[in-house]
Amino acid sequence: MNVTIAVAQKEHYDFAQQICDTIESSALQRGTGIAKRTPEYICQKIDKQEAVIALEGNKFAGFCYIESWEHEKFVAHSGLIVHPDYRHLGLAKKIKTFVFEYSQKKYPMAKIFGITTGLAVMKINSDLGYRPVPFSELTDDPSFWAGCKTCTNFDILQRKENKMCLCTGMLYDPNETKK
């Protein structure tokens, strides 16, 4: 596997639809909820240099993007996906590590968080220093939670007033690490 991971650039717009399709098909196969994104949204993330792409030559291998909340107090990594041809090779961990380190440079004071139902992502996050937390420790920005509307479990999140769902909240606080 000769995969390169880099901050996505405008020349990667052509992969936006494939990224969205891969995210959606993966969620359907796993039977888990996932927030759907449009190719336009992926391109906006690329424009803001808030997307990371993994390629083998010109072949799409993986992707992840960054979102910031509450005036950069919180940063989330979302849309982590590995193309089926590249799964079980450790690429998800490499992408997540790259986006984690990139986020720390771009947003050095931000708490980094994610919500996931995937055990593999929970393990990667734990290895990077995240800890499981209740949703109350995550952003309360309504626009973050609105991103969950396309998830099959959104009704649970609503009933629980954004305080819990089937996802696990995980948080990396740079201030805790420094202590």
Side-chain angles (χ1 to χ4, degrees):
M1 177 175 76
N2 189 18
V3 173
T4 302
I5 302 169
V7 176
Q9 305 296 320
K10 290 184 184 203
E11 61 263 22
H12 300 124
Y13 283 172
D14 293 344
F15 294 104
Q17 185 63 57
Q18 186 179 9
I19 290 164
C20 293
D21 294 345
T22 306
I23 290 170
E24 186 172 5
S25 67
S26 177
L28 290 172
Q29 287 172 348
R30 291 187 329 260
T32 59
I34 194 162
K36 294 179 186 174
R37 298 293 183 239
T38 64
E40 294 78 20
Y41 187 80
I42 299 300
C43 289
Q44 288 172 5
K45 289 290 157 190
I46 291 171
D47 284 342
K48 292 179 181 178
Q49 293 198 312
E50 293 186 337
V52 170
I53 193 162
L55 299 169
E56 184 172 42
N58 289 323
K59 187 174 178 191
F60 168 68
F63 183 80
C64 190
Y65 64 88
I66 302 167
E67 295 179 293
S68 63
W69 308 99
E70 296 182 41
H71 306 288
E72 301 177 2
K73 179 180 175 186
F74 289 95
V75 168
H77 299 152
S78 298
L80 175 63
I81 191 68
V82 174
H83 188 277
D85 294 347
Y86 296 90
R87 291 188 183 148
H88 309 292
L89 301 172
L91 184 56
K93 185 171 187 171
K94 289 178 183 176
I95 294 169
K96 186 73 173 182
T97 300
F98 186 99
V99 77
F100 179 75
E101 292 170 355
Y102 178 62
S103 294
Q104 288 179 303
K105 289 176 189 159
K106 189 167 177 143
Y107 303 100
M109 303 306 295
K111 294 178 182 179
I112 302 172
F113 76 96
I115 58 173
T116 185
T117 57
L119 182 59
V121 173
M122 286 182 217
K123 172 138 179 38
I124 292 167
N125 285 350
S126 287
D127 290 347
L128 290 170
Y130 291 66
R131 60 182 171 83
V133 296
F135 284 7
S136 61
E137 288 194 41
L138 308 179
T139 182
D140 59 3
D141 188 319
S143 59
F144 171 78
W145 299 105
C148 296
K149 284 181 182 175
T150 57
C151 175
T152 57
N153 302 317
F154 186 65
D155 63 318
I156 297 168
L157 182 67
Q158 282 187 302
R159 285 195 315 269
K160 301 296 182 181
E161 299 174 340
N162 295 353
K163 291 184 176 50
M164 65 174 56
C165 194
L166 297 182
C167 282
T168 297
M170 298 192 78
L171 180 73
Y172 171 85
D173 186 340
N175 296 315
E176 288 178 5
T177 305
K178 290 173 188 169
K179 292 177 189 173

